[in-house]
Amino acid sequence: MSEQAVEARNAEADAVSNLHELNAQYIRAFVEADVEWYREHLTEDFVCTLADGRRIDKNEFLARVAEGPGVRDVTYDEVDVRPLGGVALVQGVTHYVQEGTPGSTRYTDVWQLRGASWRAVAAQLTARSAT
């Protein structure tokens, strides 16, 4: 394997590791209503498509975060990180209890490498039916 190929493989492994950590922090920030974390890690043009199909901008997303999660017992799994050069897709499933009822949401977050830091540019939420 060429030196260039080894460097590319190492860079991708570093990106995957960093994005797994950012994913964990993203979910922690949701649970803890940590608006400042999101303010720092979302781009100014961030958009989120909610599970009901509505699209909100960064300001509305931050306002919703500030209200608190409205759920408890949050866990996540099925995380898949796919770096695609300077962009990456992070997909997974969150599980929670809302008003006494278990629920799950599949998410896709789009991250972009801006300078030396990954920033979330978009999120898509899809309610997952109980099986």
Side-chain angles (χ1 to χ4, degrees):
M1 184 178 291
S2 73
E3 184 176 328
Q4 186 176 11
V6 170
E7 287 177 10
R9 180 183 285 180
N10 290 342
E12 183 171 310
D14 287 346
V16 169
S17 177
N18 290 339
L19 289 158
H20 271 288
E21 178 60 29
L22 285 166
N23 182 67
Q25 291 175 19
Y26 192 108
I27 294 169
R28 179 211 50 83
F30 167 73
V31 170
E32 296 176 6
D34 187 350
V35 173
E36 288 309 310
W37 186 91
Y38 284 112
R39 195 178 314 280
E40 180 180 336
H41 291 87
L42 305 181
T43 61
E44 288 307 312
D45 58 348
F46 173 85
V47 294
C48 178
T49 303
L50 302 173
D52 64 9
R54 287 181 297 136
R55 187 174 158 160
I56 61 174
D57 64 12
K58 180 178 181 177
N59 289 332
E60 187 171 347
F61 183 87
L62 294 176
R64 287 169 166 263
V65 167
E67 293 173 1
V71 296
R72 62 181 173 79
D73 301 333
V74 177
T75 62
Y76 63 97
D77 58 20
E78 298 183 36
V79 177
D80 182 33
V81 175
R82 298 179 55 210
L84 305 164
V87 174
L89 299 178
V90 177
Q91 298 174 303
V93 178
T94 56
H95 307 279
Y96 49 83
V97 175
Q98 185 175 35
E99 298 176 0
T101 303
S104 296
T105 300
R106 181 168 296 283
Y107 62 89
T108 299
D109 296 328
V110 180
W111 292 80
Q112 184 179 37
L113 190 57
R114 294 196 175 179
S117 301
W118 288 98
R119 297 288 180 250
V121 297
Q124 168 84 39
L125 308 174
T126 305
R128 209 169 91 165
S129 60
T131 54

